[in-house]
Amino acid sequence: MKFELSTDKTPAGDQPQAIEALVNGIKSGQQSQTLLGVTGSGKTFTAANVIQQIQKPTLVIAHNKTLAAQLAQEYRDFFPNNAVHYFVSYYDYYQPEAYMSTSDTYIEKEAQINEEIDRLRHASTQALLTREDVIIVASVSCIYGLGSPKQYKSKLMEISVGFEATRGEMLRMLIDMQFERTNADLTPATFRAIGNTIEVMPTNERVIYKLDFTGAVISRITKIDEVTREIISEPEVFFLFPAKHFVTPEAERKLAIADIQVELKKQLAKFKKDGKVIEYERLRRRTLHDLALMREVGYCNGIENYSRHFDRRASGEAPYTLLSYFPRKEDGTPDFLTVIDESHVTIPQLNGMYAGDRSRKDNLVEYGFRLPSAVDNRPLRFEEFKKNVGQQIYTTATPGKFEFAALEESNQEPIEQIIRPTGLVDPEIDIRPIVEKGDYPGQIKDFITESEKVIKGGARVLVTTLTKRMAEDLAEFLDHKNIKTKYIHSDVKTIERIEILTDFRKGVFDCLVGVNLLREGLDLPEVGLVAILDADKEGFLRSETALVQTIGRAARNVYGRVVLYADNMTNSLEKAVGETNRRRVIQLEYNKKHKITPRSIKKEIKSIADQMHSEHDETVETLLKVDMELFKKNPKKVMKEKKRQMESAVGILDFETAAILRDEIKYLEDSVDEKSK
């Protein structure tokens, strides 16, 4: 299938020229391009149009799971008929193995795997190996080790009506593919044998395939709903991938074990020579124990630390990752598109993963907890990442050093998307002194005067400080000056933070004081003034990126403006003000030419906290009224159906519905526990 963009929207403002420039750049062979798009300019929609025109599998990388989930849903809306998948770390909780030599403390690896996310990961890799119309939205997890795609695909089994195998032979095949046998309800990567049939649930979808045997031949295949047991279809053929991404044939497993033994002997000799008796004994016992488990059951805890040997890689060679599953040209170069969202945040993450992992592993090796080959179970180095991704598009409102260096290297200019569909322009900026001088009262008193004017006009005020203590003290001081104020910073809990923002929009109070949390992600169209105190104090909170992002908080209101309090024009200030003014000129000229009258964004004020506290509970209560009678008659069936619905909601990234179902399930489980007491 081809990518088919399904939407009523049409490119507007700067989007048409941005799409054309990006497509032309890709077709001419440019390895990297930067889409410099202001907040609210529709960068994701632009990228979707590029994907449709280029018609290549695409990897979209986001800097956290939540953003990745939002992007995955957006792309699914744009491409409902194509394969859009979500690939993030499958750990709900992860404590890596570590050793702190200063206190002689060994911390064992601890992890809780989310089975649903693991299923989504399998769905991603299987789509890449079987389709061409694939978009994978991933976190930086995409640069961490994954099994060999060649070995993974080599275990792919095409099961069809007429497939020659006895029931016993099929059971052995499934075990060889690392499926687990069960007598209970099926979950992904499990199977059960009933009479002359085998039922198996694949890793990528929650359905059951029932195989009927007549002698040594599969005579019928039935696809069944896992809960209702209704027949979905009777396919002639289906494909079954292995249960795990790490798959090693028996012959290669024996070679890997032999290599591990050789490495162990060499490292033990080194410890003996250096007089490291404790490290010698620790490594010998641990590795011999792991080798015994590998021979007997083919697996041991921490087996990923031996992955280099199982993959047959040389020392230092890059591991297989999600990138290895994307298509390549005949010469081995990547043949897919990569979109790096919010690249000013995502690129530094990708760049920093290797060093942190290596530092921890070196310590484990030095003190005899792991063999030296454990360091090759790692994320990609940044230079390896660049070699293993296709042509790249960096999307950001505030490009960093990396994006500018890439542009300079390729002698390009960024592709700008400055015109907003709403016609709104970047705010006016006024720079005023910090200290009192002559008739000027200083930044705090001047800010109070400006705030009173804005509040009198019915708008709200945002002000940023450098520390949490300053935010709290300023909020208290402003309250004493009869300006209704609250503060927000990282110590304020999530629910309370939402309540504060909702009350701010409603006008319960007029001024909100913050630190770093006011830089990105706040959509507050009621804000008429943004003030940045001590704007000339160079550092993370007053960097060019932070200043541009904070200034952008005033870009939702047609009357929005910004006051920067500074006694000196720092390099960051000059760049941030210059960039904002440059965009503003372009936007004003565009509006004049096209006779566009900018209007403030009108956004309904919803109490998110109220929804979380009341609407959520009301929905749960409504469901319980409907389901309780059925639950009393057949509790097991109702619980199974509710869990299926919850997992389905998670599968399509509808976390609100999943949370409602989760709480209903908990209530039903508690009611069963109460009766059993």
Side-chain angles (χ1 to χ4, degrees):
M1 293 180 67
K2 291 185 176 182
F3 287 106
E4 182 184 345
L5 184 59
S6 177
T7 178
D8 294 332
K9 292 170 64 178
T10 55
D14 278 345
Q15 290 174 341
Q17 66 183 41
I19 293 165
E20 183 181 3
L22 290 168
V23 169
N24 289 339
I26 292 168
K27 288 181 176 177
S28 66
Q30 290 183 18
Q31 189 61 23
S32 61
Q33 300 179 87
T34 299
L35 175 61
L36 198 165
V38 298
T39 304
S41 62
K43 295 187 288 291
T44 303
F45 183 55
T46 296
N49 276 272
V50 172
I51 292 169
Q52 184 189 34
Q53 292 193 36
I54 294 300
Q55 290 292 322
K56 282 189 175 184
T58 302
L59 169 65
V60 180
I61 307 177
H63 60 84
N64 63 55
K65 289 182 179 182
T66 304
L67 179 58
Q70 292 172 354
L71 287 170
Q73 192 55 57
E74 284 187 65
Y75 280 106
R76 282 179 179 175
D77 291 340
F78 287 139
F79 297 101
N81 301 318
N82 302 112
V84 179
H85 291 283
Y86 177 64
F87 186 98
V88 297
S89 168
Y90 55 22
Y91 295 117
D92 281 334
Y93 170 77
Y94 182 67
Q95 169 62 60
E97 181 183 31
Y99 177 69
M100 294 181 289
S101 56
T102 51
S103 57
D104 190 27
T105 304
Y106 172 70
I107 302 170
E108 195 167 355
K109 174 184 170 182
E110 220 180 314
Q112 292 177 350
I113 292 177
N114 185 308
E115 291 183 0
E116 186 59 25
I117 293 180
D118 189 29
R119 183 186 71 77
L120 295 174
R121 286 165 64 94
H122 278 281
S124 297
T125 52
Q126 291 175 27
L128 285 170
L129 295 176
T130 56
R131 302 179 62 152
E132 294 181 349
D133 60 326
V134 182
I135 299 172
I136 306 294
V137 183
S139 65
V140 293
S141 174
C142 66
I143 68 168
Y144 279 76
L146 204 61
S148 161
K150 184 178 179 181
Q151 292 182 357
Y152 185 67
K153 194 171 183 179
S154 70
K155 287 286 186 178
L156 169 64
M157 189 186 297
E158 181 180 340
I159 302 175
S160 59
V161 174
F163 186 89
E164 294 185 0
T166 64
R167 174 179 170 278
E169 288 170 341
M170 180 57 69
L171 293 176
R172 286 190 288 274
M173 289 179 194
L174 290 171
I175 291 170
D176 185 51
M177 293 173 71
Q178 301 190 39
F179 279 75
E180 293 184 9
R181 187 169 183 172
T182 180
N183 292 321
D185 292 339
L186 290 176
T187 56
T190 61
F191 68 93
R192 61 189 172 203
I194 305 171
N196 209 32
T197 66
I198 294 175
E199 293 183 345
V200 59
M201 184 178 289
T203 54
N204 64 322
E205 56 181 338
R206 285 190 169 273
V207 296
I208 296 169
Y209 286 94
K210 181 182 177 184
L211 312 179
D212 291 301
F213 288 82
T214 301
V217 175
I218 295 176
S219 57
R220 184 187 181 194
I221 300 173
T222 313
K223 187 176 181 179
I224 302 171
D225 184 280
E226 64 157 329
V227 176
T228 64
R229 300 289 299 181
E230 292 179 1
I231 295 175
I232 299 171
S233 63
E234 294 191 19
E236 288 293 311
V237 62
F238 76 99
F239 294 91
L240 196 64
F241 276 87
K244 298 184 185 299
H245 283 110
F246 292 93
V247 182
T248 307
E250 177 64 22
E252 293 193 14
R253 184 165 65 89
K254 289 180 179 178
L255 289 173
I257 289 173
D259 286 350
I260 294 167
Q261 289 175 314
V262 170
E263 185 186 15
L264 174 63
K265 186 176 180 181
K266 183 178 178 180
Q267 186 68 358
L268 290 177
K270 181 179 182 300
F271 280 152
K272 187 174 183 179
K273 181 182 176 182
D274 295 342
K276 294 185 174 181
V277 179
I278 294 175
E279 289 82 354
Y280 177 100
E281 191 60 28
R282 181 185 288 149
L283 183 66
R284 186 187 71 83
R285 288 188 178 186
R286 166 174 284 219
T287 310
L288 290 178
H289 177 261
D290 288 348
L291 286 169
L293 287 172
M294 288 179 210
R295 291 190 191 95
E296 295 301 320
V297 298
Y299 180 82
C300 70
N301 287 330
I303 195 169
E304 64 275 7
N305 290 289
Y306 304 102
S307 61
R308 189 188 87 196
H309 297 295
F310 286 96
D311 292 341
R312 316 307 297 153
R313 288 183 282 126
S315 177
E317 188 178 345
Y320 296 110
T321 66
L322 176 67
L323 308 182
S324 309
Y325 287 73
F326 278 86
R328 293 177 178 266
K329 299 175 184 175
E330 290 184 3
D331 62 0
T333 57
D335 190 23
F336 61 97
L337 179 65
T338 303
V339 178
I340 302 181
D341 195 74
E342 299 290 355
S343 58
H344 65 284
V345 181
T346 308
I347 290 292
Q349 274 195 9
L350 292 166
N351 205 358
M353 292 296 103
Y354 172 78
D357 183 83
R358 182 60 187 259
S359 175
R360 181 175 57 82
K361 293 277 178 57
D362 282 345
N363 218 31
L364 290 167
V365 171
E366 182 182 352
Y367 289 95
F369 290 94
R370 289 292 170 196
L371 289 171
S373 58
V375 300
D376 289 314
N377 167 44
R378 60 175 175 83
L380 295 176
R381 299 185 184 95
F382 190 63
E383 57 270 22
E384 292 171 336
F385 165 76
K386 289 193 291 183
K387 288 179 183 177
N388 283 279
V389 291
Q391 292 171 288
Q392 301 141 56
I393 296 174
Y394 311 125
T395 69
T396 177
T398 51
K401 292 180 180 178
F402 175 83
E403 291 91 337
F404 283 121
L407 289 168
E408 188 176 339
E409 185 180 334
S410 57
N411 195 26
Q412 298 173 29
E413 292 294 327
I415 296 163
E416 295 190 307
Q417 196 165 288
I418 294 175
I419 307 301
R420 296 182 178 90
T422 57
L424 281 169
V425 299
D426 281 31
E428 290 185 43
I429 297 177
D430 190 0
I431 301 175
R432 302 184 183 184
I434 296 173
V435 298
E436 180 181 351
K437 188 175 182 181
D439 294 335
Y440 180 73
Q443 66 176 354
I444 299 299
K445 289 183 179 179
D446 182 76
F447 166 68
I448 290 172
T449 301
E450 291 300 318
S451 297
E452 288 172 342
K453 292 177 187 175
V454 171
I455 293 166
K456 190 175 181 180
R460 316 276 189 276
V461 178
L462 285 179
V463 56
T464 64
T465 64
L466 286 170
T467 66
K468 297 174 187 176
R469 178 64 181 271
M470 287 171 66
E472 294 171 8
D473 289 347
L474 180 59
E476 184 179 355
F477 180 77
L478 293 174
D479 254 339
H480 289 155
K481 294 294 181 180
N482 297 319
I483 296 176
K484 291 182 284 186
T485 307
K486 289 194 177 181
Y487 66 84
I488 187 171
H489 53 58
S490 58
D491 288 346
V492 178
K493 301 300 181 185
T494 303
I495 300 297
E496 187 182 352
R497 197 180 309 159
I498 294 168
E499 290 172 341
I500 290 171
L501 290 171
T502 303
D503 286 346
F504 181 56
R505 292 200 61 206
K506 286 180 175 179
V508 175
F509 63 97
D510 301 306
C511 179
L512 178 61
V513 187
V515 189
N516 189 34
L517 293 176
L518 300 185
R519 289 197 305 115
E520 297 167 339
L522 290 182
D523 186 0
L524 305 169
E526 295 79 17
V527 172
L529 173 68
V530 171
I532 303 178
L533 303 183
D534 302 304
D536 58 359
K537 301 299 185 286
E538 275 278 29
F540 174 68
L541 294 175
R542 298 296 181 262
S543 65
E544 179 192 355
T545 298
L547 289 169
V548 170
Q549 293 283 357
T550 307
I551 288 167
R553 297 313 105 206
R556 308 281 181 173
N557 190 307
V558 70
Y559 300 110
R561 60 192 182 90
V562 176
V563 178
L564 304 178
Y565 291 98
D567 290 328
N568 303 295
M569 283 301 291
T570 63
N571 188 47
S572 295
L573 267 174
E574 287 180 354
K575 289 182 177 179
V577 173
E579 176 61 19
T580 303
N581 288 337
R582 184 186 73 85
R583 294 176 183 179
R584 182 177 169 82
V585 168
I586 294 170
Q587 292 158 349
L588 287 169
E589 287 179 354
Y590 182 89
N591 288 350
K592 183 178 179 181
K593 181 179 178 180
H594 295 85
K595 298 179 180 178
I596 295 173
T597 302
R599 290 178 295 178
S600 298
I601 294 173
K602 298 295 182 184
K603 185 178 178 184
E604 184 183 354
I605 301 174
K606 295 181 179 178
S607 177
I608 305 170
D610 287 347
Q611 288 178 348
M612 297 178 77
H613 287 305
S614 60
E615 201 172 293
H616 176 94
D617 296 335
E618 285 175 13
T619 307
V620 173
E621 288 171 11
T622 301
L623 284 173
L624 284 168
K625 287 176 184 176
V626 174
D627 296 329
M628 189 54 77
E629 290 303 314
L630 291 172
F631 181 74
K632 290 175 181 177
K633 294 176 183 177
N634 194 336
K636 187 176 180 181
K637 184 178 179 180
V638 170
M639 290 291 281
K640 190 173 181 180
E641 172 61 16
K642 287 295 167 183
K643 288 179 180 178
R644 185 193 71 79
Q645 291 175 2
M646 180 180 71
E647 288 161 356
S648 296
V650 172
I652 61 171
L653 312 181
D654 182 1
F655 298 119
E656 290 181 9
T657 301
I660 289 167
L661 290 164
R662 175 202 62 201
D663 290 351
E664 184 189 9
I665 290 167
K666 187 177 187 308
Y667 183 91
L668 294 173
E669 287 175 338
D670 290 345
S671 67
V672 171
D673 292 340
E674 283 296 319
K675 287 180 181 178
S676 61
K677 287 180 181 179

